Amino acid sequence: MNIMHPTLRRLDLNLLPVFDAVYRHRSVRQAAEELAMSTSALSHALSRLRATLNDPLFYREGHLMCPSVYASQLAPAIASALAHLNHQLTPQAEFNPATTTDCLQIAITDFTALSIFPALMAELQYTAPGLRFEFRYLPHSPALNELLAGEVDFALGFSAPQDSHYAELDEIDWFTDEYVVISNPRRQQLTLDDYLAARHLVVTPWNESKGVLDRELERLGYRRQVAIKTPSMLSAPFIIADSDLLMALPRSAAEKLKQAAGITIFALPFAVPPFEVKIYSHKRSGKRGAAQWLHKMLKELPHMQTTRNT
């Protein structure tokens, strides 16, 4: 048996604005004018409320409707509740990217942020200069559970397992890339034997025990020597540049990091599936205007970049 809110279940909530208006105006006529009701309809509503609450609520003194002690106790809570509901139920203003200061929560890794946000922020500085972001590192990828729970507005990640598709989520296939290997500039070649003989630095954002490359090597009957596992990609290229370690990563990231560190890029000496980055968002985001606009922007961004560069 449902016993939640027993008083509210027997109370017509439409009577609360009547109470609030009479309390503020101390007048049935003025309250009726504010609520666009006839005085007889308002008087009838007030009678129903008196019967429900078992209190006279107001009594006439001259031309004024004076509140009872109980009405005076109720009035602040009713006024506050009505004001809060009115604010929350007011239709959202149409989203304006040029003036928004909304803040979106984005689940990322170092690599997904590097893949998406340089191009995105280059565009948003013109179209939505006040739109803000907070990056969140989460213990797994993609962060679909957090997205479904409304803890984040977007999740940047790799392809989700086939059985984790949710009808509530939208996906953008951001890009597909190939794996390459970076090394210090002293290395002249990289064969499979060279790769297996070397020690490796592996970025594990979620502290995973095995990555895509390790699983593929195991399938081929090989195993690599991991010297360093780190959750962050920031220091990795500089460690590689000053050591004999190797590191595998997507080509787009390697090309960007090559500009900052003295590294050489080699083809991966064995075949692996391509690297896919996806952008996930909830179809009914709590920040509906900003999230829908950004989703549309992200889908159009590759074309916009091409147009801007021509």
Side-chain angles (χ1 to χ4, degrees):
M1 179 179 178
N2 183 3
I3 59 172
M4 293 181 65
H5 313 301
T7 301
L8 292 180
R9 290 175 62 198
R10 61 186 178 85
L11 174 65
D12 182 352
L13 298 182
N14 290 314
L15 300 178
L16 296 184
V18 170
F19 174 92
D20 181 65
V22 174
Y23 183 85
R24 286 185 288 106
H25 291 292
R26 301 295 201 267
S27 166
V28 169
R29 180 183 59 80
Q30 292 181 33
E33 289 176 356
E34 178 182 295
L35 299 174
M37 300 171 66
S38 67
T39 55
S40 61
L42 189 138
S43 296
H44 178 68
L46 192 56
S47 296
R48 292 174 56 205
L49 188 58
R50 285 167 166 156
T52 300
L53 298 180
N54 192 29
D55 188 89
L57 298 178
F58 299 95
Y59 59 92
R60 186 171 296 280
E61 190 173 278
H63 297 293
L64 297 179
M65 295 291 289
C66 296
S68 68
V69 173
Y70 183 47
S72 296
Q73 293 172 344
L74 289 177
I78 291 176
S80 176
L82 291 174
H84 180 72
L85 283 172
N86 186 66
H87 175 73
Q88 294 297 323
L89 297 176
T90 298
Q92 295 184 3
E94 185 175 349
F95 179 77
N96 184 349
T99 59
T100 185
T101 58
D102 282 350
C103 183
L104 296 173
Q105 303 280 333
I106 315 289
I108 65 157
T109 66
D110 285 349
F111 175 71
T112 55
L114 179 65
S115 301
I116 294 170
F117 270 87
L120 178 60
M121 296 310 294
E123 183 61 36
L124 294 190
Q125 64 183 332
Y126 302 105
T127 54
L131 186 61
R132 298 173 295 124
F133 301 94
E134 289 185 3
F135 291 168
R136 293 184 57 185
Y137 291 91
L138 295 171
H140 54 86
S141 177
L144 301 188
N145 290 335
E146 289 79 4
L147 193 57
L148 290 165
E151 296 174 15
V152 295
D153 301 295
F154 286 82
L156 314 183
F158 313 133
S159 297
Q162 292 299 314
D163 60 355
S164 64
H165 177 75
Y166 296 94
E168 305 97 310
L169 301 184
D170 276 323
E171 297 180 11
I172 298 175
D173 296 322
W174 181 249
F175 78 102
T176 302
D177 202 357
E178 64 174 346
Y179 282 99
V180 296
V181 180
I182 60 173
S183 162
N184 67 53
R186 297 185 298 276
R187 185 179 292 275
Q188 300 300 310
Q189 66 174 16
L190 185 66
T191 65
L192 178 58
D193 287 340
D194 295 330
Y195 186 86
L196 295 174
R199 298 192 306 155
H200 297 262
L201 183 154
V202 180
V203 176
T204 56
W206 314 286
N207 298 314
E208 60 270 34
S209 60
K210 292 182 182 179
V212 173
L213 301 190
D214 295 297
R215 289 193 291 270
E216 188 61 28
L217 284 170
E218 285 187 0
R219 191 184 70 80
L220 297 172
Y222 301 120
R223 191 173 183 177
R224 61 179 174 175
Q225 305 175 56
V226 177
I228 298 176
K229 293 177 70 174
T230 173
S232 173
M233 192 170 60
L234 179 62
S235 62
F238 302 99
I239 295 173
I240 298 299
D242 292 335
S243 71
D244 290 328
L245 300 180
L246 299 179
M247 175 184 174
L249 72 169
R251 180 176 291 278
S252 58
E255 295 290 352
K256 290 179 180 178
L257 295 173
K258 186 177 180 180
Q259 302 171 22
I263 55 176
T264 300
I265 301 175
F266 293 98
L268 189 69
F270 57 97
V272 295
F275 185 94
E276 295 182 318
V277 171
K278 290 181 176 285
I279 303 173
Y280 300 91
S281 61
H282 202 296
K283 293 179 179 178
R284 294 179 294 279
S285 168
K287 300 187 181 79
R288 186 165 56 250
Q292 288 180 350
W293 181 85
L294 184 62
H295 183 272
K296 181 174 181 290
M297 170 68 68
L298 287 165
K299 293 186 72 171
E300 296 175 353
L301 189 56
H303 171 71
M304 296 170 67
Q305 285 184 286
T306 301
T307 303
R308 190 180 291 277
N309 293 332
T310 57

